[in-house]
Amino acid sequence: MCLMLAVAAAALTVVLVNAFVFSPQHQVKAYFNALEDGDGGTALGLLHATVPDANAALLDGAALKASVDTLANLEIQDPIPTGDNRVDQPVSYTVDGVAHTTTFSLEKTGTTWLFFNQWSFVPSTLPTISVDVVNENEASLNGTRVALPEGKNSFAVFYPGSFEAHYASDYFAAPVVESVLTGPQHAQDARLSLATAATPKLVDDLSGQVNAFLDSCAEQRVLQPSGCPFSAAMDRVQDDTIRWSIEDYPEVKVEPFKGNWVLSPLTGVAKLNVVEIDLFTGASVERELKQSFDFTGRLSVNDGHVTLTPVVEY
């Protein structure tokens, strides 16, 4: 009887150890622990994955940890046998309150000490995510500064993961975009596109330069200010009465165009106050004339400085 009890106890021990220690769930748990620790080497070894020809900035350290920081309510479910000593291992979790599931494929590769099963991830290739940005060559990806040659790049990633990108500088910025990658089959949906645009600071600085240029034009006490977008054709006036002012200053808009930043056409309204002399009677008549004008400008941004060169066509 004692022998039978001992055998039964040993058999139960094998079952329990296989279920909780030498199990597919245990391998998956170890994989997630490595991701949470930012230990890309361990995660890659467990996953038996090949690294594709892509930027590896997200495969280790803080950037890797950030990819799983938003994963919550993680639950490693019961494995589903698929035949040939393989199982599908579902893992459920939430990201920002949205439910997701990732399924890993594992296979039994043998036993340890004759009784305990050995499970390994079926070899695979890591997926990639694509990042592109308008008119820039870098961005922040999961808190890490990354290079985007010619405005784009591909990054090898572990899965599942949450990825966010943005761009910020004094003069140009792109708001945060996010994507959740649940598995390699959804990699094509994980593209992060950054729509860079001019910041309020850039618009303010350019508006100041535009307004200063127009004010300098208005200070010229002539009917046709030199190098300026407005003028008046009148036969005879009292020169000392010429007074230009700007009624409406242009609204500055900066747009991307063929890899550069350009100004949209600048339009405004100038006002001329002058005393005109009638050629026939010699009488002096006060005039107030309003004139719409437009011009463009060449934009140069270097080392944190922006310069606008007005371009006036006659």
Side-chain angles (χ1 to χ4, degrees), residues 77-95:
Q77 301 173 5
D78 292 334
I80 303 171
T82 58
D84 296 327
N85 288 321
R86 290 191 175 189
V87 297
D88 282 344
Q89 180 59 69
V91 180
S92 62
Y93 50 92
T94 61
V95 177

Side-chain angles (χ1 to χ4, degrees), residues 7-92:
V7 171
L12 179 60
T13 299
V14 170
V15 171
L16 292 175
V17 171
N18 270 328
F20 294 102
V21 179
F22 294 92
S23 66
Q25 295 101 315
H26 183 75
Q27 289 292 96
V28 172
K29 178 60 176 175
Y31 170 69
F32 274 93
N33 287 342
L35 298 184
E36 292 168 357
D37 292 339
D39 186 352
T42 297
L44 189 64
L46 287 167
L47 199 59
H48 293 294
T50 300
V51 179
D53 184 16
N55 191 296
L58 300 181
L59 295 183
D60 201 47
L64 173 56
K65 293 176 67 174
S67 70
V68 293
D69 277 349
T70 57
L71 270 62
N73 304 310
L74 188 72
E75 182 180 349
I76 302 174
Q77 301 173 5
D78 292 334
I80 303 171
T82 58
D84 296 327
N85 288 321
R86 290 191 175 189
V87 297
D88 282 344
Q89 180 59 69
V91 180
S92 62

Side-chain angles (χ1 to χ4, degrees), residues 136-200:
E136 299 295 340
N137 56 18
E138 64 178 55
S140 175
L141 182 56
N142 276 20
T144 297
R145 184 176 176 180
V146 296
L148 302 175
E150 299 182 355
K152 59 185 178 181
N153 210 344
S154 294
F155 298 85
V157 295
F158 289 105
Y159 62 94
S162 176
F163 305 95
E164 69 87 15
H166 69 278
Y167 177 79
S169 69
D170 285 344
Y171 289 137
F172 299 100
V176 171
V177 292
E178 298 176 302
S179 182
V180 176
L181 179 62
T182 58
Q185 69 274 25
H186 300 299
Q188 68 274 12
D189 301 323
R191 187 180 193 91
L192 299 173
S193 295
L194 297 174
T196 316
T199 63

Side-chain angles (χ1 to χ4, degrees), residues 92-220:
S92 62
Y93 50 92
T94 61
V95 177
D96 296 330
V98 179
H100 298 277
T101 299
T102 294
T103 299
F104 298 95
S105 182
L106 290 91
E107 59 186 351
K108 187 166 70 172
T109 57
T111 58
T112 299
W113 300 325
L114 300 178
F115 300 107
F116 303 119
N117 296 329
Q118 289 182 315
W119 290 92
S120 296
F121 287 87
V122 174
S124 61
T125 300
L126 291 180
T128 62
I129 61 170
S130 298
V131 181
D132 58 81
V133 62
V134 174
N135 283 1
E136 299 295 340
N137 56 18
E138 64 178 55
S140 175
L141 182 56
N142 276 20
T144 297
R145 184 176 176 180
V146 296
L148 302 175
E150 299 182 355
K152 59 185 178 181
N153 210 344
S154 294
F155 298 85
V157 295
F158 289 105
Y159 62 94
S162 176
F163 305 95
E164 69 87 15
H166 69 278
Y167 177 79
S169 69
D170 285 344
Y171 289 137
F172 299 100
V176 171
V177 292
E178 298 176 302
S179 182
V180 176
L181 179 62
T182 58
Q185 69 274 25
H186 300 299
Q188 68 274 12
D189 301 323
R191 187 180 193 91
L192 299 173
S193 295
L194 297 174
T196 316
T199 63
K201 176 175 173 54
L202 176 60
V203 173
D204 288 346
D205 286 359
L206 289 174
S207 294
Q209 294 186 41
V210 168
N211 295 354
F213 164 67
L214 293 173
D215 289 343
S216 69
C217 288
E219 290 173 358
Q220 298 184 43

Side-chain angles (χ1 to χ4, degrees), residues 224-263:
Q224 297 181 335
S226 176
C228 297
F230 49 82
S231 62
M234 305 179 75
D235 291 324
R236 188 177 179 187
V237 299
Q238 291 182 8
D239 291 341
D240 60 353
T241 66
I242 297 173
R243 297 290 186 275
W244 286 102
S245 60
I246 307 302
E247 188 84 353
D248 292 317
Y249 288 95
E251 179 183 0
V252 172
K253 294 182 179 180
V254 181
E255 304 289 345
F257 181 73
K258 294 184 177 180
N260 294 301
W261 294 102
V262 297
L263 283 175

